[in-house]
Amino acid sequence: MPINYIKRLSVVSAIFAFATILHGSVLAQPVQNPNTTPALKTQVSAASHQKIKLTNQQRLQIKVARQQRDKDIQALLNPSQTTKFKAALQSRQRIKTVLTSLNLNPDQQKQVQSILQTYNQQVKQIVSSQPSQPTSNPTAVTPQTSEPMKK
């Protein structure tokens, strides 16, 4: 009989300890990481994921800016990197993914970063300079093909 009492007591105390620990971890506030930069927080904001309606003129200006960005980046690359870069762009991979796969040296990385910042500023200026008017295509910026648009 005393063994059953000891078993019950140990089970009850284990449950109590578990419930106390679990309760404390549920109520604990998340720890903020001081290493996260504000730039990373703003890049993931909800506003950056909203669809933007662009005019045909804005689309064309962005396309020209993108082509210039790609030409400037290609000028920095060696022949094997250029081949990979062109192939990746033709397969419509994201520019950040493409650049990561090229194994750029530190000097190239700095120059590419500068080119990307210039491009991003140009796109922001294009989007904010003119009042956006709805187009027949309500999606965000889409890659343009070499075929003319049909209306």
Side-chain angles (χ1 to χ4, degrees), residues 125-145:
Q125 185 178 8
I126 291 167
V127 171
S128 65
S129 67
Q130 303 172 358
S132 297
Q133 299 171 359
T135 61
S136 59
N137 185 0
T139 59
V141 177
T142 56
Q144 299 287 325
T145 60

Side-chain angles (χ1 to χ4, degrees), residues 19-119:
T20 304
I21 292 170
L22 182 64
H23 179 70
S25 65
V26 169
L27 294 179
Q29 293 182 356
V31 177
Q32 296 204 1
N33 187 353
N35 295 332
T36 55
T37 60
L40 292 176
K41 291 179 182 178
T42 57
Q43 289 176 356
V44 190
S45 68
S48 65
H49 295 290
Q50 293 178 351
K51 293 185 177 185
I52 302 171
K53 296 180 181 180
L54 301 172
T55 64
N56 289 336
Q57 182 181 3
Q58 287 172 315
R59 288 176 190 268
L60 181 62
Q61 289 174 333
I62 291 172
K63 180 180 178 181
V64 169
R66 184 173 44 244
Q67 290 171 343
Q68 184 62 45
R69 173 202 68 189
D70 295 346
K71 187 189 296 185
D72 291 345
I73 291 173
Q74 283 181 15
L76 301 173
L77 304 176
N78 65 38
S80 67
Q81 290 173 325
T82 302
T83 305
K84 288 180 185 178
F85 184 72
K86 287 180 180 179
L89 289 181
Q90 286 178 349
S91 66
R92 297 185 182 210
Q93 293 181 14
R94 296 180 143 258
I95 190 75
K96 296 280 186 183
T97 306
V98 173
L99 294 172
T100 302
S101 70
L102 293 178
N103 298 324
L104 301 172
N105 65 42
D107 186 44
Q108 286 176 319
Q109 289 177 359
K110 288 178 185 177
Q111 292 174 335
V112 166
Q113 187 66 28
S114 174
I115 292 169
L116 292 175
Q117 286 176 348
T118 302
Y119 168 74

